[in-house]
């Protein structure tokens, strides 16, 4: 039996086979403790019988401490790399059995040179690397890493239990590989076995949802790794239904509302406003955040007051900033503030509602002469737009309708632009996923709410400017409106394209689109972060606390606006997604399309019943504002596209 404590002591010389960075190298020159070695570069391709790239070799000078001796008298690095003797694999197991039979010897490490001797006393020098690599990958032997750091190659004998464990893992790995190959074969045929195969599609789903930019499953199946391909394969294999809406997650948004609860409104001195204010909103709304009333002298605009409790830079504030706005999609709302906030802060849900109120006084021309900002307790009655229209001649509501008409006329004289395009309401049944699309009715009371909110925004801006409060002012440059603007939908479509992007800054500037000299958005703190920050600033002023600086406030507003932009994109994508689902669920759908722009033999058409735009070629020329009947011809839910065709 060889001495298991012997070390590999040899003089490294020319034609010695050594390890360099754990790879084989041949010494071509020896000069003292410096050696020139030749080795295959790590990036070189292996020789290919099919005519692939030949391996590339490098020559480098190294010191003795950088290399470890394997054997002497090798032919060349090429012969070392090409050496193969499958019988050695069998001999390794026999050597293991020989040594393990002696309990005393089995407890010790065996040198590489002794193992060579046990294989054959005349072991070929060129085969040393093959043997070393075989030992590394065997179940029976394990390299002594500590000795290797000292320049010695020694191997421990694995226990029988360890060998059995490794063999079991290999078998499981091979079985797993076989199972995966079978799965990939089914995937390529788009014939998965569900639900069992779903566990293999997790990375595909992550790619489709924008949580990852790669998918090993698609790569292994030879499918290009794109979000659209991932989405399509999930649909084709039945992992996803067509009703699966991926867009909120793709835009990095949560489908769940914020979870941290606000404290109940704190007890503080509030002005009790006499009379009843009216929260007028859509029948679909369940988060009323504004109410209006006229007391004969002042217009009161009452706004929900979560800022009375939300502390700037608190976790609730930061979460709202990260969300930017409440996400409204056909499946429901994902709120910027927690769901429970409605019971305490929405208006009209309790006998008394707490509000931040804007009390507006008009001059003789109907312009805002003065605005006061007050903490109030108000009685609020909720009305739908339809009900408010029925009551428009009542003593309570008639003055509000008159104020709205007067203010709209004032804004129009100042250059305000009013754009009216078709809008729809999309709803999805939670259980059946059935989609319903209904055209929004137009109510005169919508003008009452709109004008009251604009007056509150104008009043708040003037209040902030008058009191030198750093505040988020919203402005818009004047649009260039052509003189030959068409009538009807075509004109509204063209007018929309003329509008400039809104700006938010700390210096008041005209909002030309609204026809207002200075303006700020303050009427939706429950669902817009910018409005919440404005309220926090007003509260700080009223409470004589430190105000946010212009820079800090603008930084927070910008962060909130960026997140809110993601919400808008997710809402737009989601609405289009569910519109396409609706068309797939209703293959016989037909609808009117109105021509709003002519492009040669093509035209841009608006489909009012879907609130969609499309480019199509009509069977014959169609005049602006002329209409045709169309039907969906090709629906691509993955790429959010639909092609329409004219039908007679």
């Amino acid at each position: 039996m060889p001495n298991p404590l012997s070390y590999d002591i040899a003089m490294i010389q020319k034609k010695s086979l050594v390890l360099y960075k754990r790879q084989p190298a041949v010494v071509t020159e020896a000069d003292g403790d410096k050696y020139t070695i030749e080795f295959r570069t790590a990036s070189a391709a292996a020789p290919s019988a099919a005519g692939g790239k030949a391996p590339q070799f490098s020559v480098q000078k190294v010191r003795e401490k950088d290399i470890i001796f394997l054997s002497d008298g090798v032919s060349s690095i090429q012969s070392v790399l090409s050496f193969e003797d499958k019988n050695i694999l069998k001999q390794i197991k026999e050597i293991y059995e020989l040594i393990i039979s002696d309990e005393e010897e089995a407890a010790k490490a065996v040198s590489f040179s002794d193992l060579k001797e046990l294989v054959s006393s005349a072991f070929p020098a060129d085969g040393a690397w093959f043997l070393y690599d075989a030992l590394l990958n065997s179940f029976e032997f394990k390299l002594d890493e500590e000795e290797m750091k000292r320049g010695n190659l020694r191997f421990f004998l694995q226990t029988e239990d360890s060998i059995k464990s490794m063999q079991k893992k290999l078998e499981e790995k091979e079985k797993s590989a076989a199972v995966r190959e079978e799965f990939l074969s089914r995937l390529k045929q788009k014939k998965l076995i569900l639900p069992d195969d779903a566990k293999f599609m997790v990375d595909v789903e992550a790619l489709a949802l924008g949580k990852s930019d790669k998918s090993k499953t698609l790569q292994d199946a030879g499918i290009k790794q794109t979000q659209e391909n991932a989405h399509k394969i999930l649909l084709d294999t039945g992992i996803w239904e067509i009703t699966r809406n991926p867009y909120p997650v793709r835009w990095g948004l949560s489908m769940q509302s914020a979870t941290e609860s606000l404290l109940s409104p704190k007890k503080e001195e509030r002005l009790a406003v006499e009379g009843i204010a009216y929260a007028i909103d859509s029948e679909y709304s369940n988060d009323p955040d504004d109410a209006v009333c006229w007391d004969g002298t002042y217009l009161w605009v009452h706004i929900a007051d979560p800022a009375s409790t939300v502390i700037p830079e608190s976790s609730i504030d930061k979460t709202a900033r990260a969300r930017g706005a409440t996400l409204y999609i056909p499946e429901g709302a994902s709120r910027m503030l927690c769901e429970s906030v409605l019971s305490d802060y929405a208006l009209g849900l309790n006998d008394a509602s707490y509000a931040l109120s804007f009390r507006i006084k008009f001059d003789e021309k109907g312009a805002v002469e003065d605005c006061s900002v007050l903490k109030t307790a108000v009685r609020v009655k909720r009305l739908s737009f339809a009900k408010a229209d029925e009551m428009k001649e009542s003593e309570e509501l008639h003055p509000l309708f008159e104020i709205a008409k007067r203010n709209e006329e004032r804004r129009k004289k100042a250059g305000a632009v009013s754009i009216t395009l078709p809008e729809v309401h999309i709803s999805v049944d939670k259980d059946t996923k059935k989609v319903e699309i209904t055209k929004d009715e137009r109510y005169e009371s919508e003008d009452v709410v709109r004008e009251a909110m604009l007056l509150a925004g104008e009043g708040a801006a003037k209040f902030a400017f008058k009191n030198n409060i750093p505040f988020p002012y919203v402005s818009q440059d004047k649009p260039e409106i052509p003189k030959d603007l068409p009538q009807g939908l075509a004109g509204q479509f063209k007018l929309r394209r003329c509008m400039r992007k809104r700006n938010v800054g700390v210096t008041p500037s005209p909002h030309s689109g609204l026809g207002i000299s200075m303006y700020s958005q303050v009427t939706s703190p429950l669902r817009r972060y910018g409005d919440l920050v404005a309220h926090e600033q007003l509260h700080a002023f009223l409470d004589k606390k430190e105000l946010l600086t212009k820079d800090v406030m603008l930084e927070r507003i910008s962060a909130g606006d960026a997140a809110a932009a993601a919400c808008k994109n997710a809402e737009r994508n989601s609405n289009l997604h569910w519109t396409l689902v609706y068309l797939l669920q209703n293959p016989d759908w037909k609808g009117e399309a109105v021509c709003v722009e002519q492009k040669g033999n093509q035209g841009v058409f608006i489909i009012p019943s879907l609130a969609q735009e499309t480019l199509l070629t009509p069977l014959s020329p169609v005049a602006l504002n002329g209409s045709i009947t169309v039907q969906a011809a090709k629906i691509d839910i993955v790429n959010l596209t639909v092609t329409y065709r004219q039908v007679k």
Side-chain angles (χ1 to χ4, degrees), residues 137 139 164-182 200 216:
N137 292 287
F139 293 144
K164 288 179 181 178
S165 176
M166 288 187 286
Q167 288 174 332
K168 184 178 180 181
K169 287 180 180 178
L170 178 61
E171 290 170 0
E172 291 173 350
K173 184 177 180 181
E174 290 174 343
K175 182 179 179 181
S176 177
V179 169
R180 183 166 177 80
E181 282 303 315
E182 292 172 0
F200 298 116
K216 190 174 187 307

Side-chain angles (χ1 to χ4, degrees), residues 99-254:
I99 301 175
I100 201 70
S101 63
D102 186 330
E103 293 184 7
E104 183 177 347
E105 298 297 335
K108 304 171 183 177
V110 185
S111 70
F112 177 67
S113 61
D114 284 347
L115 290 170
K116 281 194 298 181
E117 287 290 326
L118 287 171
V119 173
S120 173
S121 57
F123 190 82
D126 288 351
W129 164 252
F130 184 84
L131 174 61
Y132 171 77
D133 191 54
L135 287 165
L136 280 182
N137 292 287
S138 71
F139 293 144
E140 292 81 10
F141 293 91
K142 180 181 179 182
L143 182 66
D144 186 338
E145 295 286 350
E146 291 302 317
E147 281 298 317
M148 189 174 191
K149 293 176 183 177
R150 301 185 183 97
N152 301 305
L153 296 181
R154 300 177 64 77
F155 288 85
F156 294 113
L157 274 68
Q158 298 277 24
T159 65
E160 291 183 4
D161 287 343
S162 295
I163 293 173
K164 288 179 181 178
S165 176
M166 288 187 286
Q167 288 174 332
K168 184 178 180 181
K169 287 180 180 178
L170 178 61
E171 290 170 0
E172 291 173 350
K173 184 177 180 181
E174 290 174 343
K175 182 179 179 181
S176 177
V179 169
R180 183 166 177 80
E181 282 303 315
E182 292 172 0
F183 155 71
L184 290 173
S185 177
R186 293 193 295 273
L187 178 61
K188 292 172 185 177
Q189 300 174 55
K190 299 177 183 177
K191 294 180 179 179
L192 296 186
I193 300 173
L194 297 178
D196 293 349
D197 282 343
K199 61 179 176 291
F200 298 116
M201 299 288 283
V202 173
D203 63 325
V204 179
E205 190 169 35
L207 176 58
L209 292 173
K211 295 180 178 180
S212 172
D213 58 359
K214 295 179 181 179
S215 165
K216 190 174 187 307
T217 298
L218 290 188
Q219 181 183 21
D220 291 347
I223 301 171
K224 190 174 181 181
Q225 300 172 70
T226 66
Q227 207 169 61
E228 293 74 21
N229 283 346
H231 191 167
K232 187 173 189 306
I233 202 73
L234 289 166
L235 291 176
D236 290 346
T237 57
I239 299 291
W240 281 7
E241 301 289 339
I242 59 168
T243 53
R244 179 63 182 268
N245 174 16
Y247 297 101
V249 179
R250 281 190 189 177
W251 284 101
L253 305 174
S254 172

Side-chain angles (χ1 to χ4, degrees), residues 487-500:
Q487 298 295 314
L489 269 184
Q492 296 296 292
F493 176 78
K494 192 169 186 177
L495 188 58
R496 186 183 64 183
R497 290 189 170 183
C498 298
M499 302 308 293
R500 305 292 181 85

